[in-house]
Amino acid sequence: MTQTNTTAADDALVLREDRDGIAYLTLNRPNQFNALSEELLDALQANLDAIAEDKSVRVVVLAGNGRAFCAGHDLKQMRTQNERAYFQQLFTRCGQGMTRISSLPQPVIARVHGIATAAGCQLVASCDLAIAEEGSRFAVSGINVGLFCGTPSVPLSRNVGRKQAMEMLLTGGFIPAQQAAAEGLINRAVPLEQLDDEVLKLARTICDKSSASVALGKAMYYKQLEMGVEQAYQFASEAMADNMMFEDVGERIDAFTEKRPPNWRDR
């Protein structure tokens, strides 16, 4: 039986709905193309922090309400300020929200439709996985108003090749979903009518795995990316040795060799 738990009012800046171990977070500023205002960034951070402590959540799906996934920072709100300290604090706050996604124990899947621009593209690049509808488009377009997308360049350059990232950053041009998939920004692009099913299929596949092993593996994966090869191998070896001590691993190996379904606690 599907269990649904809605934890936010329809007028909240981020809507949360839990179904069968999947937490759906929906950015909810549709009239502003889900632009990341200060308030929306705070709401997203609060939801991610709550999910990090929620053992019932195994996968997070991040989506946008309305016609677009996310159009980046709220430029109108930014123009009400003229102090460097404010902008430093704003971009730092945004970066903290993006890194919270990678530090979350649960994998986060971006469900992308419409456009994902500037900090919206940064948000896609910061998610662990991303599936987009075929008509969606991606850009780091700050340069078009004279603002180089410095903070979006951090996760972008860790997803796509250097020259592809620089072309996006220097031109501000859009790339289509199929190109975004080919360059590694998203996992794949699918027809809009298949988007929800494809996201759910991926989420359920992950839900069927050991949540403890997934959390350990996700943390290990991102940490080793910043290491040299020898250090990364040492760190990964230690993580795998720790993983082998998990009680459920023995059960899964036995089930595999005995050709029977596994029986583990956190399923």
Side-chain angles (χ1 to χ4, degrees):
M1 178 181 295
T2 299
Q3 295 181 351
T4 300
N5 178 30
T6 302
T7 59
D10 287 345
D11 59 352
L13 291 173
V14 175
L15 306 177
R16 174 177 171 182
E17 185 177 358
D18 291 11
R19 299 197 300 268
D20 293 338
I22 305 170
Y24 294 85
L25 295 182
T26 304
L27 307 180
N28 191 37
R29 297 187 73 205
N31 294 332
Q32 296 78 30
F33 297 95
N34 299 311
L36 297 175
S37 64
E38 297 175 65
E39 297 79 10
L40 178 51
L41 285 171
D42 287 345
L44 180 59
Q45 181 83 47
N47 275 275
L48 293 172
D49 287 344
I51 287 172
E53 303 299 323
D54 192 338
K55 301 296 185 181
S56 70
V57 176
R58 305 172 72 89
V59 177
V60 179
V61 173
L62 182 62
N65 197 4
R67 292 180 291 168
F69 177 75
C70 178
H73 284 291
D74 189 328
L75 297 179
K76 289 184 178 180
Q77 186 179 64
M78 290 169 63
R79 287 298 293 149
T80 65
Q81 304 292 328
N82 195 32
E83 297 291 332
R84 185 185 187 281
Y86 167 81
F87 294 116
Q88 175 70 51
Q89 183 271 342
L90 174 65
F91 297 134
T92 298
R93 181 191 301 182
C94 182
Q96 290 170 342
M98 303 297 170
T99 55
R100 189 65 178 111
I101 292 173
S102 59
S103 70
L104 209 68
Q106 303 92 336
V108 180
I109 304 170
R111 175 206 180 276
V112 187
H113 75 292
I115 59 171
T117 60
C121 187
Q122 179 184 2
L123 192 56
V124 174
S126 297
C127 290
D128 305 299
L129 302 160
I131 299 178
E133 57 104 350
E134 290 176 333
S136 59
R137 298 184 298 153
F138 303 81
V140 276
S141 50
I143 197 67
N144 293 334
V145 295
L147 180 65
F148 187 87
C149 280
T151 49
S153 77
V154 175
L156 180 67
S157 63
R158 286 161 170 77
N159 280 251
V160 307
R162 291 186 181 187
K163 288 181 173 59
Q164 287 82 4
M166 282 300 291
E167 182 173 350
M168 292 181 68
L169 289 160
L170 293 174
T171 67
F174 280 96
I175 63 171
Q178 294 291 359
Q179 183 177 345
E183 294 182 359
L185 179 59
I186 63 174
N187 292 85
R188 53 191 165 275
V190 299
L192 178 59
E193 61 271 18
Q194 298 177 18
L195 181 58
D196 287 328
D197 288 342
E198 194 71 18
V199 170
L200 182 59
K201 179 182 176 181
L202 180 58
R204 283 178 171 169
T205 297
I206 298 170
C207 283
D208 199 40
K209 312 305 181 196
S210 163
S211 61
S213 296
V214 166
L216 179 145
K218 177 178 172 177
M220 183 279 299
Y221 175 79
Y222 286 115
K223 190 169 183 179
Q224 65 85 25
L225 284 176
E226 308 305 321
M227 299 176 178
V229 174
E230 290 187 7
Q231 185 184 7
Y233 266 117
Q234 180 61 37
F235 178 67
S237 297
E238 293 172 0
M240 287 192 72
D242 290 340
N243 199 170
M244 279 299 298
M245 295 298 100
F246 290 2
E247 180 180 346
D248 288 340
V249 172
E251 164 59 20
R252 289 165 184 255
I253 292 175
D254 291 344
F256 177 78
T257 57
E258 296 167 9
K259 295 181 173 56
R260 61 172 173 81
N263 181 22
W264 62 86
R265 293 180 180 176
D266 69 347
R267 187 172 183 176

